[in-house]
């Protein structure tokens, strides 16, 4: 029996219901008497909103109500706030210009898909038919979708009063003087201009929400697939409806994928609650897939100008990062977070002494952007690692050697990067050396030549990735866990984290079972109901095992400590003489031992306990990490490009990862493989595209190209953990690791493959047409570049 594995059980207990169709998602819940909501959405990217005529819709059988933004405003419903504001180096919060992000437009629409009215009907079909008959007057206005154009003179302005220059914030980080000194001392400067593409999370389960209101208790209940039920309860109560937090309940049943998207607050979440309170009946809304592209938050879109200063020996002297982050038409609940709060990843695992960042958050006539797997970490790492590979190509230095020369040595730990991050542990050079050996880096020239003989162009790309996980210093993320016992020996583990596909039920059950020496089948994990577990931060930022798992670990410690006191009374031994191991209590010199089941039963027999000992074994524990952890990895991608078609085939992908202590290897590997697939999608095919009028051109999977199964190769994963001391489990987190390294590794490999043809840069997504066009353009300019290896 392992410490974390209970009695050797493997697999995920939740999978049985998922694969047999007995899972319980939001759409499986059908409240009696529920009305169905359909949202009437603006077809313009920017327009003045005129009269709304719902007469024809009201005549559709089954229609109960048609409500507008004016009704919402009259009821005093609040706007969606931004709760993840930029943090300065001293961890103080920087304010942003935050125009009202209303659940329905009142006088102006600023993006295609913005809600202008809702129809409530007895059936979903009736609501849909009625919504099609609502007549809305619009006076179109000029739109702007590019952040570069939005800040240019004469650009259309979204919020003339609040943000006349279309800028929400300017965020500066790092020492400008040190950067200028690095630039002046540089023997070589590498500069890149990068356009990071806009993407959509597209979880398997679309967003669905059910609102209910109990007029007797004056409580509202939102049932929604969410990553952070307790946090969203807080925002709904304090910022949207201005009621006590106890008046709001949030329930999240099974969640079919979150990826950061389901950590937000959306108009429809507010509207179902408001309509339920107003009409006195439950209200349900289901997002259709095509609707998701114009109602979900998007992510990532950033324009970057970056520079890397190197000395004559190839040592990194400094990095400059200037960015325009496209916030969309409003600042979403977490919209200011990705462009700012994870810029520490610009440090990478390197000894770069000077880093300077300057980011402007810009309003455009597009959907708001928000967190998506990695939430700024992939973007920062992509820029850093593209810079390094560009510098290697410009200076004729091997891309591996240039990185290896600059990595932080393990003996330097803990290491203060001087730019937000202080690494507690890691052996970055070992990761690189292992990955190099696995992929046979030195044998690549022969493989490249062989591919060329077949008419293919082969490339090799490398990237080192590091991220902050577990909660930032200065903004602690406390997590709560509770263990409850029943007289038959069952254990309920109540947690504030929220699984959205990661397998928390299985891993947490095995963790508790392993500590207590019982079968994992006896442990039931309960999550996703703010009435059951009163507090929790949820699941995001690769934090659940580090914080939720550690809180459970501490709760187990408290159970065992109390169990020792009970066992001491039963064994007639001093409490400090009792030891617990593998489900058994024993005391030196005492006759016999006690199993944990005997102690559990004894705990319910209050009359058999000393008067100073309360009955029961239930315990509550919280955990706040003293500092973040820093999962890190080396990714190497080898691929081939067909120059005649632009098609890319990844022939090998190696990841050497340090996620600290691995609690559940299968789960960890699944997380990294899934993250890699999402990174690959952004690199090769995925992109949300708008035309100049703010019309979305990628409104379905016919246009937005999600990777298919045969597009995603298996990765070769090796774990080389250096456990952290920042939590009792030694875990660092793995949820975002695969995505963070995939973007630069794949794109570096593509550029390496095309370098002999004169191609030095391609922006994501590197679609076949874009690659083919780059090759033709290089041919037309007559460039011919020798490979750098």
């Amino acid at each position: 029996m392992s410490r974390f594995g209970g009695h050797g059980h493997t697999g995920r207990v939740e999978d049985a219901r998922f694969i047999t169709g007995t899972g319980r998602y939001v759409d499986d819940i059908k409240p009696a008497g529920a009305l169905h909501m359909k949202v009437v959405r603006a077809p313009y990217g920017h327009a003045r909103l005129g009269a709304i005529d719902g007469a024809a819709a009201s005549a559709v059988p089954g229609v109960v109500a048609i409500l507008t933004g004016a009704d919402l405003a009259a009821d005093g419903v609040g706007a969606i706030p931004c709760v993840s504001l930029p943090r300065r180096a001293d961890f103080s919060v920087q304010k942003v210009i935050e125009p009202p992000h209303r659940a329905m437009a009142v006088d102006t629409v600023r993006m295609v898909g913005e809600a202008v009215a809702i129809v409530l009907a007895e059936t979903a079909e009736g609501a849909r038919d009625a919504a099609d008959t609502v007549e809305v007057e619009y006076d179109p206005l000029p739109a702007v979708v590019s952040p570069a154009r939005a800040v240019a003179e004469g650009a259309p302005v979204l919020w003339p009063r609040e943000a006349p220059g279309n800028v929400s914030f300017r965020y500066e980080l790092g020492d400008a003087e040190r950067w200028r000194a690095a630039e002046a001392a540089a023997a070589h400067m590498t500069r890149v201009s990068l356009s990071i593409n806009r993407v959509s999370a597209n979880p398997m389960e679309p967003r669905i929400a059910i609102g209910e209101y109990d007029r007797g208790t004056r409580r509202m209940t939102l049932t929604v697939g969410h990553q952070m039920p307790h946090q969203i309860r807080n925002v709904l109560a304090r910022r949207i409806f201005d009621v006590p937090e106890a008046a709001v309940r949030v329930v999240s049943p099974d969640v079919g994928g979150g990826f950061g998207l389901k950590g937000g607050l959306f108009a429809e979440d507010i509207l179902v609650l408001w309509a339920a309170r107003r009409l006195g009946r439950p209200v349900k809304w289901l997002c259709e897939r095509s609707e998701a592209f114009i109602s979900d938050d998007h992510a990532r879109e950033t324009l970057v100008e970056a520079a890397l200063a190197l000395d004559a020996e190839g040592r990194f002297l400094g990095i400059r990062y200037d960015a325009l982050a496209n916030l969309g038409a409003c600042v979403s609940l977490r919209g200011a977070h990705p462009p700012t709060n994870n810029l520490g990843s610009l440090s990478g695992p390197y000894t770069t002494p000077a880093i300077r960042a300057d980011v402007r958050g810009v309003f455009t006539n597009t959907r708001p952007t928000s967190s998506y797997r990695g939430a700024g970490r992939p973007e920062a790492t992509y820029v850093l690692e593209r810079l390094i590979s560009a510098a290697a190509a410009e200076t004729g230095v091997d891309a591996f050697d240039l990185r290896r020369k600059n990595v932080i040595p393990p003996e330097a730990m803990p290491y203060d990067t001087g730019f937000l991050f202080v690494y507690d542990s890691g052996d970055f050079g070992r990761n690189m050396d292992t990955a190099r050996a696995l992929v046979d880096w030195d044998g690549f020239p022969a493989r490249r030549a062989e591919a060329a003989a077949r008419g293919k162009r082969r490339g090799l790309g490398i990237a080192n990735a590091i991220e902050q996980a577990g909660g930032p210093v200065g903004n602690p993320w406390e997590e709560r866990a509770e263990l409850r016992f029943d007289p038959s020996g069952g254990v309920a583990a109540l947690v504030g984290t929220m699984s959205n596909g990661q397998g928390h039920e299985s891993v947490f059950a095995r963790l508790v079972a392993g500590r207590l020496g019982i079968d994992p089948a006896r442990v039931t994990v309960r999550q996703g109901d703010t009435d059951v577990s009163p507090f929790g931060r949820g699941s995001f930022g690769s934090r659940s095992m580090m914080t939720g798992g550690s809180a459970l670990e501490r709760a187990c410690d408290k159970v065992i400590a109390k169990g020792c006191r009970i066992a001491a009374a039963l064994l007639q031994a001093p409490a400090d003489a009792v030891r617990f191991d593998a489900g058994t209590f024993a005391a030196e010199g005492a006759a016999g031992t006690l199993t944990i089941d005997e102690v559990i039963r004894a705990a319910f027999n209050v009359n058999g306990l000393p008067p100073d000992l309360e009955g029961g074994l239930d315990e509550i524990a919280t955990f706040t990490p003293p500092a973040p952890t820093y999962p890190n990895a080396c990714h190497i991608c080898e691929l081939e490009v067909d120059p005649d078609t632009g098609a890319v085939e990844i022939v090998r992908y190696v990841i050497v990862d340090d996620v600290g202590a691995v609690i559940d290897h299968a789960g960890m590997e699944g997380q990294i493989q899934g993250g890699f697939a999402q990174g690959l999608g952004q690199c090769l095919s995925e992109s949300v595209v708008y035309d100049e009028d703010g019309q979305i051109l990628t409104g379905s999977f016919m246009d937005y190209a999600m990777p298919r199964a045969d597009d995603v190769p298996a990765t070769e994963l090796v774990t080389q953990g250096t456990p952290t001391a920042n939590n009792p489990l030694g875990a660092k987190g793995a949820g975002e690791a695969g995505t963070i390294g995939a973007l630069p590794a794949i794109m570096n490999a593509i550029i390496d493959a095309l370098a002999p043809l004169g191609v030095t840069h391609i922006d994501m997504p590197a679609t076949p047409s874009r690659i083919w066009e780059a090759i033709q353009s290089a041919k037309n300019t007559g460039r011919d570049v020798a490979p750098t290896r």
Side-chain angles (χ1 to χ4, degrees):
M1 182 178 65
S2 70
R3 179 169 180 256
F4 299 109
H7 289 264
H9 289 237
T10 59
R12 304 195 331 172
V13 296
E14 52 267 74
D15 286 351
R17 68 176 187 272
F18 293 160
I19 64 177
T20 58
T22 54
R24 190 169 184 264
Y25 298 90
V26 178
D27 196 36
D28 295 313
I29 300 169
K30 305 184 187 302
L35 296 172
H36 295 266
M37 182 178 84
K38 184 65 179 178
V39 181
V40 180
R41 300 187 182 278
Y44 292 96
H46 200 190
R48 291 189 184 90
L49 183 60
I52 299 174
D53 184 355
S58 297
V60 174
V63 170
V64 173
I66 298 166
L67 302 173
T68 67
D71 299 317
L72 188 77
D75 282 359
V77 177
I80 298 172
C82 178
V83 299
S84 296
L85 296 169
R87 294 186 304 272
R88 301 184 182 92
D90 62 358
F91 301 105
S92 62
V93 171
Q94 176 177 322
K95 296 293 185 181
V96 304
I97 294 174
E98 196 177 341
H101 184 183
R102 300 184 182 94
M104 281 198 286
V106 174
D107 52 10
T108 305
V109 295
R110 295 175 174 85
M111 55 187 157
V112 166
E114 187 168 5
V116 297
I118 56 173
V119 176
L120 290 308
E122 299 290 350
T123 66
E125 295 77 11
R128 186 183 302 116
D129 292 344
D132 289 341
T133 69
V134 174
E135 296 183 3
V136 183
E137 293 181 359
Y138 297 97
D139 181 10
L141 297 169
V144 60
V145 300
S146 161
R149 183 165 174 256
V151 298
E153 186 175 352
V157 178
L158 277 75
W159 301 95
R161 185 178 62 184
E162 296 90 346
N166 287 329
V167 174
S168 170
F169 62 83
R170 183 172 185 177
Y171 177 76
E172 297 178 276
L173 190 66
D175 191 322
E177 288 298 325
R178 292 185 68 185
W179 160 251
R180 284 191 283 269
E183 188 177 27
H188 180 83
M189 289 289 300
T190 290
R191 303 181 191 276
V192 298
S193 297
L194 302 171
S195 177
I196 299 174
N197 48 327
R198 174 181 285 245
V199 293
S200 179
N202 296 319
M204 186 176 294
E205 177 202 29
R207 291 189 300 110
I208 309 170
I210 299 172
E212 298 175 85
Y213 183 71
D214 186 323
R215 287 180 171 170
T217 62
R218 295 186 176 183
R219 293 192 80 209
M220 56 183 69
T221 298
L222 175 68
T223 303
V224 63
H226 210 275
Q227 297 171 230
M228 312 171 203
H230 297 86
Q231 290 195 45
I232 216 68
R233 175 188 65 179
N234 177 274
V235 176
L236 287 167
R238 297 180 60 187
R239 305 293 292 274
I240 305 300
F241 292 105
D242 191 23
V243 296
E245 206 162 333
V248 179
R249 179 188 184 191
V250 177
V251 178
S252 290
D254 290 329
V255 181
F259 312 124
L261 172 72
K262 292 181 183 174
L265 176 63
F266 294 89
E268 299 82 10
D269 304 329
I270 297 169
L271 294 174
V272 293
L273 285 173
W274 169 62
R277 185 177 69 176
R278 186 175 174 119
L279 301 175
R281 292 176 62 179
V283 173
K284 184 173 185 177
W285 171 79
L286 184 150
C287 183
E288 298 177 5
R289 185 61 70 181
S290 59
E291 188 179 17
F293 282 102
I294 57 171
S295 63
D296 286 356
D297 286 347
H298 297 157
R300 302 255 201 264
E301 186 180 358
T302 313
L303 300 178
V304 180
E305 300 285 337
L308 172 64
L310 302 92
D311 69 14
E313 284 72 45
R315 299 283 181 186
F316 301 163
L317 299 178
I319 293 169
R320 173 81 192 197
Y321 177 94
D322 294 287
L324 293 175
N326 194 339
L327 301 177
C330 307
V331 188
S332 70
L333 189 76
R334 306 185 191 284
H337 173 72
T340 59
N341 291 334
N342 281 313
L343 286 176
S345 290
L346 286 170
S347 302
Y350 307 112
T351 57
T352 313
I355 303 176
R356 173 67 174 172
D358 188 336
V359 180
R360 284 180 288 171
V362 180
F363 294 117
T364 66
N365 295 110
T366 60
R367 279 297 305 171
T369 53
S370 189
S371 295
Y372 172 56
R373 202 164 190 164
R377 302 166 180 89
E379 297 93 300
T381 301
Y382 173 69
V383 172
L384 170 64
E385 293 294 318
R386 284 291 297 118
L387 265 175
I388 298 172
S389 284
E394 291 172 4
T395 59
V397 177
D398 182 84
F400 181 96
D401 294 341
L402 184 59
R403 288 171 169 83
R404 191 67 174 84
K405 177 182 291 186
N406 285 279
V407 296
I408 302 162
E411 59 270 17
M413 297 297 167
Y415 185 86
D416 187 343
T417 66
F419 191 74
L420 294 180
F421 289 178
V422 179
Y423 303 146
D424 64 304
S425 62
D427 192 339
F428 313 127
R430 181 180 65 165
N431 290 346
M432 292 186 67
D433 295 341
T434 300
R436 179 188 182 113
L438 281 171
V439 81
D440 184 18
W441 185 277
D442 295 334
F444 176 73
R447 299 194 296 278
R448 170 175 254 170
E450 186 276 332
R454 292 184 282 106
K456 301 294 179 68
R457 296 292 178 172
R458 187 171 280 227
L460 193 61
I462 182 173
N464 287 321
I466 193 164
E467 60 166 312
Q468 182 190 78
V473 176
N475 191 7
W477 298 110
E478 183 179 67
E479 198 54 71
R480 179 188 188 277
E482 181 177 355
L483 294 178
R484 295 179 183 173
F485 291 80
D486 63 50
S488 64
V491 184
L494 283 58
V495 296
T497 56
M498 181 65 217
S499 178
N500 43 97
Q502 300 96 325
H504 292 180
E505 291 176 58
S506 298
V507 180
F508 286 160
R510 288 201 291 266
L511 189 153
V512 171
R515 286 301 319 279
L516 301 183
I518 61 176
D519 192 311
R522 291 168 52 179
V523 182
T524 301
V525 176
R526 300 179 66 183
Q527 60 178 0
D529 187 336
T530 59
D531 275 5
V532 172
S533 184
F535 177 81
R537 293 287 184 177
S539 294
F540 58 95
S542 304
R543 70 181 296 275
S544 296
M545 181 54 69
M546 289 175 289
T547 55
S550 294
L552 279 172
E553 177 88 351
R554 283 191 169 178
C556 288
D557 289 341
K558 295 172 77 171
V559 167
I560 292 168
K562 186 171 184 180
C564 285
R565 294 173 63 197
I566 295 172
L570 298 176
L571 294 172
Q572 299 183 344
D576 58 5
V578 178
R579 299 291 180 266
F580 177 78
D581 182 58
T584 301
F585 294 90
E588 186 176 350
T593 61
L594 293 170
T595 67
I596 191 167
D597 289 323
E598 291 173 310
V599 170
I600 292 171
R601 288 193 293 270
F604 282 92
N605 182 15
V606 181
N607 293 331
L609 299 177
D612 64 336
L613 197 58
E614 292 184 354
L617 279 178
D618 297 358
E619 290 290 353
I620 297 171
T622 61
F623 177 75
T624 302
T629 63
Y630 295 94
N632 57 91
C634 179
H635 291 229
I636 298 181
C637 174
E638 189 165 343
L639 53 74
E640 286 186 356
V641 177
D642 184 337
D644 294 329
T645 65
V648 173
E649 179 187 2
I650 295 178
V651 296
R652 195 168 188 192
Y653 200 97
V654 168
I655 304 174
V656 179
D657 221 318
D658 173 6
V659 296
V662 177
I663 311 303
D664 176 51
H665 195 279
M668 178 272 298
E669 189 168 353
Q671 285 290 299
I672 292 175
Q673 178 72 26
F676 161 73
Q678 289 181 295
L680 176 145
Q682 181 167 1
C683 286
L684 300 184
S685 62
E686 295 183 48
S687 191
V688 174
V689 180
Y690 286 88
D691 71 10
E692 290 303 309
D693 294 323
Q695 293 293 331
I696 191 166
L697 303 180
T698 49
S700 75
F701 287 153
M702 292 294 290
D703 306 299
Y704 186 94
M706 295 279 284
R708 274 58 171 178
D710 59 356
D711 296 324
V712 183
T715 59
E716 299 172 52
L717 175 64
V718 174
T719 55
Q720 293 185 159
T722 54
T724 178
N726 289 337
N727 63 72
L729 301 177
K732 291 183 178 178
E736 280 128 343
T739 306
I740 294 168
L743 268 61
I746 293 171
M747 293 306 295
N748 282 340
I750 291 172
I751 299 300
D752 184 61
L754 301 180
L757 302 178
V759 177
T760 59
H761 174 69
I762 293 177
D763 278 319
M764 299 182 291
T767 59
S769 62
R770 185 173 283 184
I771 290 174
W772 187 87
E773 289 168 1
I775 293 171
Q776 304 314 306
S777 177
K779 283 181 180 179
N780 293 335
T781 59
R783 297 185 63 185
D784 187 13
V785 180
T788 59
R789 302 181 188 286

